[in-house]
Amino acid sequence: MTSEITLFVNPTAGRGRGAHAAQPAASALRAAGHSVRTVVGTDAPDALARLRRAVADGTGAVVAVGGDGLVSLALQALAGTLVPLGVAAVGTGNDFARALGLPVGDPAAAGRLAAAALKGSRFRETDLGLLTTADGDRWYGTVLCSGFDSRVNDRGNRMRLPAGRFKYDLAILAELAAFRPHPYRIRLDGGEVIETEATLVAVGNGSSYGGGMRICADARTDDGLFDVTVVGDCSRSTLLRVFPKVYRGTHLSHPKVTVHRAAEVTLEAPGLTGYADGEPLGPLPVTARCVPGAVRVLAG
């Protein structure tokens, strides 16, 4: 294996922490004897094109320095290859790193862990979701979501002010005012279609999204199955009681919440957008297929 490591950097992650975090991650890798090449794109398509060239050229590993959005972009280049992925999680959510027990907010530790894993050939074969939409195929590592949470994302993305997480707090309040369940058609593993009214449906390869919201609390990234969390047609007052429990994962015991396990899931719902790894997919329908061991992650 070549000793050259590609550092894949989002300079804007975590309000600028991405660029700042690249240096300690690179220093830890160089201290372990690796040469480091940095890839920074002008935008997402350019960054992905540059990373794909680095993978094609035979890089020894890719270390993504940023949040879940950048990790998701890296997965598009690494899924199905033998090139391992390290993560220096310095974004807002960092749910992919959390699911795998990787350091969060400590790029030097992440760099040391990646270097030690490379030295010891310690890789964790990790499942990914492969999405099929009207715009083509795409990989994801954490959670595919739709419904109330995706509408909050839609509204927040349309708001220019205020900045930061407060914008999404306002979006939650606005969506609560307009809240209603949505008619879904859900097909699991090609079986019979489930027609139901639901507040949201989340298809988890990992357990959390949104920076630790454990919507699919029992999901594992190495079992070849998704956990599909369906929050039923609850009232606004019930949603207000249940939603805070998502941070502890205790919402799963509520009678309005059901969990299915499946390797393939198709979601249909009129007027709803899907999001995966926090990134918009476009309108439903979408089909997600769990691909076992689709990426090798540098782990302790």
Side-chain angles (χ1 to χ4, degrees), residues 259-283:
V259 178
H260 308 272
R261 307 194 77 223
E264 183 172 298
V265 182
T266 298
L267 301 180
E268 299 178 62
L272 289 182
T273 302
Y275 281 75
D277 292 337
E279 301 296 316
L281 299 173

Side-chain angles (χ1 to χ4, degrees), residues 131-166:
L131 297 164
T132 300
T133 71
D135 295 326
D137 292 347
R138 174 171 157 182
W139 298 93
Y140 79 99
T142 58
V143 177
L144 160 67
C145 70
S146 63
F148 177 76
D149 41 10
S150 67
R151 289 181 65 88
V152 168
N153 270 313
D154 285 343
R155 185 180 289 270
N157 289 341
R158 292 194 301 268
M159 295 167 63
R160 299 186 64 183
L161 293 173
R165 294 191 68 89
F166 186 54

Side-chain angles (χ1 to χ4, degrees), residues 83-85 96-102 113 117 121-128 205 219-223 292-300:
V83 177
L85 170 68
F96 185 84
R98 283 191 179 90
L100 295 170
L102 302 176
L113 183 149
S121 296
R122 295 197 302 271
F123 310 118
R124 182 169 174 178
E125 304 288 340
T126 300
D127 303 344
L128 295 177
N205 180 57
R220 293 173 50 187
T221 60
D222 60 358
D223 62 357
V295 69
R296 307 171 82 190
V297 177
L298 298 171

Side-chain angles (χ1 to χ4, degrees), residues 23-37:
Q23 183 174 350
S27 295
L29 290 163
R30 290 190 178 106
H34 297 284
S35 61
V36 177
R37 171 188 178 187

Side-chain angles (χ1 to χ4, degrees), residues 68-245:
D68 288 325
L70 188 77
V71 171
S72 190
L73 199 60
L75 294 177
Q76 311 313 308
L78 295 177
T81 75
L82 296 178
V83 177
L85 170 68
V87 180
V90 292
T92 303
N94 305 315
D95 291 287
F96 185 84
R98 283 191 179 90
L100 295 170
L102 302 176
V104 172
D106 190 341
R112 291 192 296 270
L113 183 149
L118 284 166
K119 182 178 180 180
S121 296
R122 295 197 302 271
F123 310 118
R124 182 169 174 178
E125 304 288 340
T126 300
D127 303 344
L128 295 177
L130 180 59
L131 297 164
T132 300
T133 71
D135 295 326
D137 292 347
R138 174 171 157 182
W139 298 93
Y140 79 99
T142 58
V143 177
L144 160 67
C145 70
S146 63
F148 177 76
D149 41 10
S150 67
R151 289 181 65 88
V152 168
N153 270 313
D154 285 343
R155 185 180 289 270
N157 289 341
R158 292 194 301 268
M159 295 167 63
R160 299 186 64 183
L161 293 173
R165 294 191 68 89
F166 186 54
K167 174 170 65 175
Y168 290 93
D169 293 337
L170 291 181
I172 287 172
L173 293 175
E175 284 302 319
L176 280 171
F179 170 76
R180 69 186 191 281
H182 299 274
Y184 275 87
R185 289 169 54 86
I186 306 169
R187 187 187 296 272
L188 304 175
D189 289 332
E192 184 176 344
V193 171
I194 301 169
E195 297 194 24
T196 186
E197 294 276 326
T199 299
L200 66 87
V201 179
V203 182
N205 180 57
S207 59
S208 69
Y209 63 177
M213 299 172 68
R214 302 183 67 226
I215 188 68
C216 300
D218 296 329
R220 293 173 50 187
T221 60
D222 60 358
D223 62 357
L225 295 170
F226 296 123
D227 277 29
V228 184
T229 301
V230 181
V231 180
D233 58 343
C234 55
S235 66
R236 185 181 292 111
S237 60
T238 300
L239 179 61
L240 284 170
R241 290 195 302 272
V242 172
F243 205 73
K245 296 181 179 181

